[in-house]
Amino acid sequence: MKDILIQLQQVVRRLVRKPAFTIVTLITLAAGIGGNTVVFSVVEGILLKPLAYPHAEELVSVMHSAPGINIPQLPSAPSNYFIYREQNSTFQDIALVTRDSVSITGVSDPEQVPALDVTDGLLPILAIPPAAGRFFSRQDDIPGSPDTVVLTYGYWLRKFGGDPTVVGRNITVDGKPREIIGITAKRFHFLDAEDPAVILPFQFDRGKTKLGNFSYTGIGRLKPATTVERASGDLARLIPVAEHSFPTPEGFSLKMFEDAHLAPNISPLKTYVVGDIGKTLWLLMGSIGLVLLIACANVANLLLVRVEGRSQELAVRSALGAGRGRIAAELMFESVFLGLVAGLLGLGLAYAALHGLEAIAPAGLPRVHEIGIDVNIILFTLGAALLSSVLVACIPIFKYTGVKLNVSLRGGSRTLSQSKEQHRASNALVIAQVALALVLLICSGLMIRTFRAMTKVDPGFTGASELQLFSIAIPEAQIKEADKVVRVEEQIMHKLETIPGVSSASFSTSIPMDGSSSYDPIFAQDRTYREGELPPVRRFKFVAPGFLSTLRAPLVTGRDITWEEIYNTTPVVLVSENLAKELWQSPANAIGKRIRVGTTDDWREVVGVVGNILDDGISQEAPKAVYWPILQKKFEGEAIMTRRSITFAVHSARAGSESLMKDIRTAVWSVNANLPLADPQTLAFLQTRSMARTSFTLVMLAVAGGMALLLGVVGIYSVIAYTVSQRTREIGIRMALGAQQRTVTSQFVLHGLLLTLIGVVLGLGAAFGVMRLMSSLLFNVNPADPLTYGTVSIGLLALAVLACYFPSRRAANVDPVDALRAE
């Protein structure tokens, strides 16, 4: 221990004497280690860490596929849920859940809050006990039972100040009083959804349940030691049981469901939550790992120079009896010390960076609340620091221990220039830095091209930044009649149109890129279908007159729906351009054609064709869509149907301002003071969010590429500058013999350019292989895009020329007399 302390004192003393070397080394390594710690924190929090529920490995998502109608991912339905829960042999329990939005009134101002609708088994399946009260029982989930509600911990604190006596009291949810029966635990988070304020029981009526309505997320807990494969087989045998246990919806036949070939699609719940972001995160992890390798190469070059300067000292110590192992151990000890200090600095940088990550993290990045510094992250940082230390120490150790020291002692260093053999290690490190930097820069360049391509895509609407959005819901407890609901919605719309600066307003059940979707099959009257044949499933939207013009979405042909047609429930409909082409070859041919959903529904005449709208994001194709009137009769088996939860779109130059939202609240509450407003945002926000993952990847790769470029250029500069300093006497002699400054400068520039060129060639080959793997992240860009590869390569070569020029110019300015006198 005493020897270690003495050696530590010597190392610290030597490093303090060389502050420039120490500071540059620590900053370089800390940046590389810190960057890796940040990305690994994200990878660990999202991909590696189990979900924050007891025995999370037993939790699965219960979804379906329907290959017969080309649907790979289909949610669960109440009909299947009842049969699965009652007759399965592989699950402890199964539950259904869906996100909702409800109004809370009677407690200060009316408020629209996020909610969860659940079957009684969900909260016990997640196995997190309540902080107060109880969770739903089977009785709470039976139709006709007293209405109950569970508050989440955060909402309980915000709304009721953490008052424990609220359990047993009533609050008004969507116009109905409900008894508060429990409070969730503080650590409760539901998957990756926005934390809800309240949780409500579904109260499905088994006696009125029909086949279909695949609209709910299924979650189950497997029995111990049960595999996903065995559970899938168990549910596969129950699907026909469910199809023969419940009636079909009006207008649909059992054969339609059988021809869909419904099958279970069960996966670990963590896989369901994380989705497909894993490839992006591993790409970022690999990219930042390359930065650490470049940093190690840079520090190794610094150590080479440092050990070269100590070669006489080490040679003397070797001659006095210090063994090769002892000298190597001393060099390794110094490198490890530097690595550990850099690791601590990197951990501090990572801690600060993770706090800023939320600002650039894409909306919808799963499990963001689980990202942070924990024991695993500290161990990773320690491992990265030690690995970096070993890597940077190996080259100087192999190069300058043993026989090299004896040569240094015999030959000295004052009168000799560095040999080509002595340059070889530094040159190899520079080539590696250039190659790795080029790979990262090409990745960044292709992501920039991808982002630029996305910004040039026509989304099917214009003026997104001038479109203010907000949602309302009119519960049945307030207004029961469907037509009166629509009249109140229309009255609000006209009030909004009177706000100063508002050019138009309207509403729909769904806004482009809001993440919501509704699908059903579409029958065309002029097409022939086999008995029981299920036609293609298409996207549904329910709109009011003027909604599409408010979006500035083009009407390709025909006209919009009118308010007279709404209230007379005239059977009219609008379709998207791509659906019109699919069914009738052209938009013009679609006008006057008729479509419907169920075989007992009224046929509805196509009166207009709307331009294609990118509902699912910029990088996704526009879905084939049908735009139904907001009020209809004889639709999907219902005598009269309307939608009570809608989103208003208000076109104004004031969109996004609090002053406009204040005027909007006044307008809405002048019609109905008990209608809270939810989700105020602009359409531009949704459009930007649809590109969030691409922009996040771009930013992270750009940071990695920028660090790599800086380190690579510094590496080239350092090698040329060091070469110049070692060859000062030779340069002086050549200048004295008549060598021109231009010749001397070009010699060093060409040397650096040759190293860069070799690195570029190697980097191009590596980049081509890497980009083939990440092609799924690109949009309208070729993974082997010649413009990106050429621009990045030429730019890197140009920077290399500059990095070589300045030390080369200093070489050409050497005074021969001063150079020879110094020797």
Side-chain angles (χ1 to χ4, degrees):
M1 187 66 184
K2 184 177 180 181
D3 290 341
I4 293 176
L5 290 175
I6 292 174
Q7 195 168 10
L8 180 61
Q9 291 176 349
Q10 293 174 346
V11 167
V12 171
R13 192 179 301 118
R14 283 197 298 269
L15 294 177
V16 170
R17 288 174 182 167
K18 298 288 184 179
F21 164 80
T22 304
I23 292 172
V24 171
T25 299
L26 290 178
I27 290 176
T28 302
L29 282 179
I33 294 171
N36 276 266
T37 300
V38 169
V39 178
F40 182 75
S41 298
V42 176
V43 170
E44 197 244 1
I46 295 176
L47 300 181
L48 305 181
K49 189 183 295 183
L51 295 178
Y53 305 112
H55 303 289
E57 72 282 356
E58 297 175 349
L59 294 173
V60 295
S61 70
V62 182
M63 304 291 280
H64 300 83
S65 62
I69 50 177
N70 297 317
I71 299 181
Q73 186 83 340
L74 187 69
S76 291
S79 54
N80 294 76
Y81 156 74
F82 282 119
I83 298 301
Y84 293 166
R85 190 176 193 185
E86 295 163 2
Q87 301 185 33
N88 86 85
S89 61
T90 52
F91 287 83
Q92 298 179 45
D93 201 356
I94 294 177
L96 295 185
V97 59
T98 189
R99 285 184 283 182
D100 199 355
S101 179
V102 298
S103 63
I104 306 291
T105 54
V107 184
S108 66
D109 292 333
E111 184 179 17
Q112 193 80 13
V113 298
L116 289 180
D117 297 324
V118 305
T119 54
D120 63 274
L122 178 76
L123 296 175
I125 283 173
L126 298 180
I128 295 181
R134 64 177 179 86
F135 289 152
F136 305 119
S137 65
R138 185 66 63 92
Q139 184 64 37
D140 292 310
D141 205 17
I142 295 176
S145 297
D147 293 318
T148 55
V149 63
V150 170
L151 306 183
T152 56
Y153 191 90
Y155 186 69
W156 173 55
L157 284 181
R158 178 173 67 84
K159 198 71 173 180
F160 300 96
D163 180 4
T165 65
V166 299
V167 176
R169 286 159 48 182
N170 284 357
I171 60 171
T172 303
V173 181
D174 280 346
K176 295 170 62 177
R178 288 180 176 269
E179 180 188 353
I180 301 171
I181 63 170
I183 313 293
T184 65
K186 182 178 181 179
R187 67 181 187 276
F188 173 79
H189 293 282
F190 180 68
L191 306 186
D192 190 41
E194 176 187 7
D195 283 344
V198 297
I199 305 175
L200 311 170
F202 271 124
Q203 295 189 342
F204 287 127
D205 190 336
R206 197 184 196 286
K208 296 180 180 178
T209 298
K210 297 181 180 181
L211 291 178
N213 194 15
F214 290 90
S215 306
Y216 306 94
T217 300
I219 294 177
R221 182 176 285 275
L222 298 175
K223 292 181 178 179
T226 300
T227 64
V228 168
E229 292 74 18
R230 184 182 169 194
S232 296
D234 185 26
L235 297 192
R237 72 176 177 83
L238 295 177
I239 288 176
V241 176
E243 290 176 344
H244 289 83
S245 298
F246 295 91
T248 60
E250 187 176 354
F252 292 83
S253 68
L254 177 60
K255 190 175 186 305
M256 290 181 178
F257 287 89
E258 292 175 339
D259 288 348
H261 302 302
L262 192 69
N265 186 358
I266 301 176
S267 62
L269 191 58
K270 188 173 78 169
T271 301
Y272 172 77
V273 171
V274 170
D276 62 350
I277 199 170
K279 182 181 292 187
T280 299
L281 294 181
W282 286 120
L283 168 68
L284 295 178
M285 190 73 226
S287 300
I288 205 71
L290 293 182
V291 173
L292 182 58
L293 288 178
I294 297 172
C296 289
N298 223 324
V299 173
N301 250 331
L302 292 173
L303 286 177
L304 278 174
V305 174
R306 177 172 166 75
V307 174
E308 176 75 20
R310 295 179 59 199
S311 60
Q312 286 282 42
E313 170 206 335
L314 297 176
V316 171
R317 294 181 59 187
S318 177
L320 294 176
R324 179 172 182 172
R326 181 179 179 84
I327 294 175
E330 181 180 313
L331 294 176
M332 181 64 73
F333 186 85
E334 180 177 304
S335 180
V336 168
F337 176 79
L338 285 169
L340 291 176
V341 174
L344 287 175
L345 294 174
L347 191 63
L349 290 173
Y351 180 79
L354 285 173
H355 283 282
L357 182 66
E358 293 183 7
I360 63 171
L365 183 70
R367 308 183 71 188
V368 172
H369 59 275
E370 297 186 46
I371 298 172
I373 303 294
D374 56 19
V375 174
N376 291 333
I377 303 303
I378 294 173
L379 291 176
F380 172 83
T381 305
L382 177 62
L386 292 176
L387 178 62
S388 302
S389 303
V390 172
L391 287 176
V392 301
C394 282
I395 294 179
I397 285 175
F398 288 135
K399 192 173 187 312
Y400 285 105
T401 55
V403 66
K404 276 290 183 185
L405 299 177
N406 296 328
V407 171
S408 295
L409 183 62
R410 289 196 305 269
S413 63
R414 287 176 51 83
T415 59
L416 296 176
S417 296
Q418 260 195 329
S419 67
K420 290 183 179 180
E421 191 277 333
Q422 288 174 307
H423 276 298
R424 195 171 299 151
S426 292
N427 292 344
L429 289 172
V430 168
I431 291 171
Q433 289 181 64
V434 171
L436 295 176
L438 186 77
V439 171
L440 290 179
L441 290 170
I442 287 176
C443 290
S444 301
L446 289 175
M447 290 307 299
I448 291 172
R449 294 290 307 278
T450 290
F451 190 79
R452 182 174 175 80
M454 285 184 169
T455 61
K456 291 183 175 298
V457 170
D458 178 11
F461 52 82
T462 59
S465 61
E466 296 184 345
L467 210 64
Q468 179 69 54
L469 312 173
F470 69 92
S471 301
I472 66 167
I474 303 177
E476 192 171 349
Q478 283 192 24
I479 303 174
K480 189 172 183 178
E481 297 83 357
D483 60 327
K484 290 184 179 180
V485 169
V486 177
R487 291 189 185 278
V488 169
E489 292 168 345
E490 183 194 6
Q491 190 177 356
I492 292 173
M493 184 190 81
H494 292 315
K495 286 285 187 179
L496 295 172
E497 290 174 335
T498 64
I499 295 175
V502 171
S503 58
S504 63
S506 190
F507 57 92
S508 170
T509 55
S510 177
I511 297 293
M513 305 182 190
D514 66 356
S516 64
S517 59
S518 176
Y519 293 91
D520 255 323
I522 291 295
F523 289 91
Q525 189 179 34
D526 59 340
R527 291 203 165 201
T528 303
Y529 301 90
R530 298 189 309 271
E531 179 65 28
E533 179 184 354
L534 192 66
V537 175
R538 296 296 175 245
R539 180 74 58 89
F540 279 15
K541 289 177 178 288
F542 300 86
V543 301
F547 175 73
L548 295 166
S549 61
T550 299
L551 284 185
R552 303 300 191 263
L555 197 63
V556 178
T557 187
R559 61 174 178 82
D560 198 358
I561 298 167
T562 67
W563 279 110
E564 182 181 3
E565 289 169 333
I566 293 286
Y567 291 121
N568 291 333
T569 59
T570 306
V572 293
V573 68
L574 305 173
V575 299
S576 64
E577 182 179 5
N578 49 10
L579 180 58
K581 289 180 178 179
E582 177 190 61
L583 293 177
W584 303 291
Q585 289 73 54
S586 74
N589 292 338
I591 302 300
K593 298 297 192 299
R594 296 172 181 269
I595 61 174
R596 67 181 179 184
V597 181
T599 56
T600 60
D601 289 357
D602 287 341
W603 289 106
R604 303 179 193 278
E605 180 183 349
V606 176
V607 297
V609 177
V610 183
N612 299 328
I613 295 177
L614 301 182
D615 268 326
D616 301 321
I618 294 297
S619 62
Q620 305 297 317
E621 291 185 2
K624 296 165 183 174
V626 182
Y627 299 87
W628 305 102
I630 198 70
L631 178 68
Q632 299 177 86
K633 67 179 181 180
K634 296 187 68 175
F635 183 82
E636 294 186 329
E638 294 188 31
I640 189 163
M641 184 280 300
T642 191
R643 302 289 164 163
R644 296 176 176 272
S645 296
I646 59 170
T647 299
F648 277 93
V650 180
H651 202 280
S652 171
R654 299 167 57 200
S657 67
E658 181 54 36
S659 64
L660 177 61
M661 281 308 304
K662 183 178 179 180
D663 290 344
I664 286 174
R665 292 187 191 97
T666 301
V668 173
W669 290 341
S670 69
V671 178
N672 187 328
N674 290 320
L675 287 180
L677 281 62
D679 302 324
Q681 58 197 1
T682 64
L683 184 55
F685 169 79
L686 298 180
Q687 186 174 354
T688 301
R689 188 177 68 179
S690 75
M691 299 186 290
R693 185 173 296 187
T694 298
S695 59
F696 173 69
T697 307
L698 169 61
V699 169
M700 297 296 283
L701 283 176
V703 171
M707 292 171 63
L709 179 62
L710 177 62
L711 291 172
V713 170
V714 168
I716 296 170
Y717 177 91
S718 301
V719 166
I720 300 301
Y722 181 65
T723 302
V724 168
S725 68
Q726 292 295 303
R727 296 176 62 183
T728 300
R729 183 172 181 272
E730 172 197 338
I731 294 169
I733 293 173
R734 294 180 62 187
M735 297 289 288
L737 294 175
Q740 299 296 312
Q741 289 184 343
R742 187 174 181 180
T743 302
V744 174
T745 300
S746 62
Q747 178 184 359
F748 287 103
V749 170
L750 288 174
H751 173 62
L753 197 57
L754 177 62
L755 297 180
T756 306
L757 191 59
I758 296 172
V760 165
V761 171
L762 296 176
L764 286 173
F768 183 77
V770 170
M771 293 312 302
R772 302 295 293 182
L773 296 176
M774 64 171 284
S775 58
S776 62
L777 300 178
L778 304 179
F779 176 75
N780 287 351
V781 177
N782 188 337
D785 177 51
L787 179 61
T788 302
Y789 281 64
T791 301
V792 169
S793 300
I794 293 172
L796 187 56
L797 287 169
L799 287 175
V801 170
L802 289 176
C804 298
Y805 175 75
F806 291 106
S808 302
R809 184 180 178 183
R810 188 169 67 248
N813 291 328
V814 168
D815 187 328
V817 176
D818 292 339
L820 295 174
R821 184 182 297 124
E823 293 295 327

